[in-house]
Amino acid sequence: MRLVILNDNAPGEGFINDWGWSVLVEGKNRFLFDADTRGEVLLHNAELLGVPLTNLDFAVLSHWHYDHYGGFPLIGGLNPGIRLYTPPADSFPDWGFNIIPVTGEGELAPGVWTSGVIDFEQAIGVETNSGLVVIVGCSHPGVDRLTRAVLEVSGYEKAHLVIGGFHYPSRKTLDRLAEMTEFIAPAHCSGEEAKAYVRRKYPGKFVAVRTGSVIEL
Ligand SMILES: [Fe+2]
Ligand SMILES: [Fe+2]
């Protein structure tokens, strides 16, 4: 199983990037978690990485912020009719998906769980050979809360890796997170301070991520 970082706030050589977040998950299921700000970014970077954006089993949107859904019109056009799991909204855009609003926690597909919507955001857990991988979007409700919810629904005691935007977390939040996971990959809106803190205080846990990173699990 592997995670392909199609876009992150941190640039990668040869890739284009902007403020946003998008991860292609390739394992038992092949799916997209968040879709960045612009479809062109996803297209360009996916081509460079040699990963097609077609043939997805489903897609997940963490929360209704533009830097996470901007590329979904493109993804829906390339994968018409697939399920897109989103937090609830008053109305849903016609991007070509079968949009499924998620409220409670549960299993989206075998080995893929959602935390359920906490405040207005969901995170997911993915079973891998190395253990449970938790993927978050912006973590507006707190990366520790989202991770705890994913652990509870999946039945895991501890995560192998937590990756995504941590939204400028406090040190206390990062300390709590460190107790819940073997590895930590602060990305997107985590901020340089959070990255530096994890790198310094938990050097054995820190995983660097940028646009174009591929993480094999
Ligand atoms: Fe964000
Ligand atoms: Fe956000």
Side-chain angles (χ1 to χ4, degrees), residues 19 62-68 120-121 137-140 167 188-189:
W19 176 286
S62 59
H63 65 304
W64 288 100
H65 280 172
Y66 189 66
D67 51 329
H68 299 256
F120 56 89
E121 181 169 349
C138 270
S139 300
H140 294 283
H167 202 70
H188 181 44
C189 58

Side-chain angles (χ1 to χ4, degrees), residues 38-49:
R38 289 184 291 139
E40 308 94 88
V41 172
L42 299 181
L43 267 184
H44 178 273
N45 293 350
E47 198 172 327
L48 200 58
L49 286 156

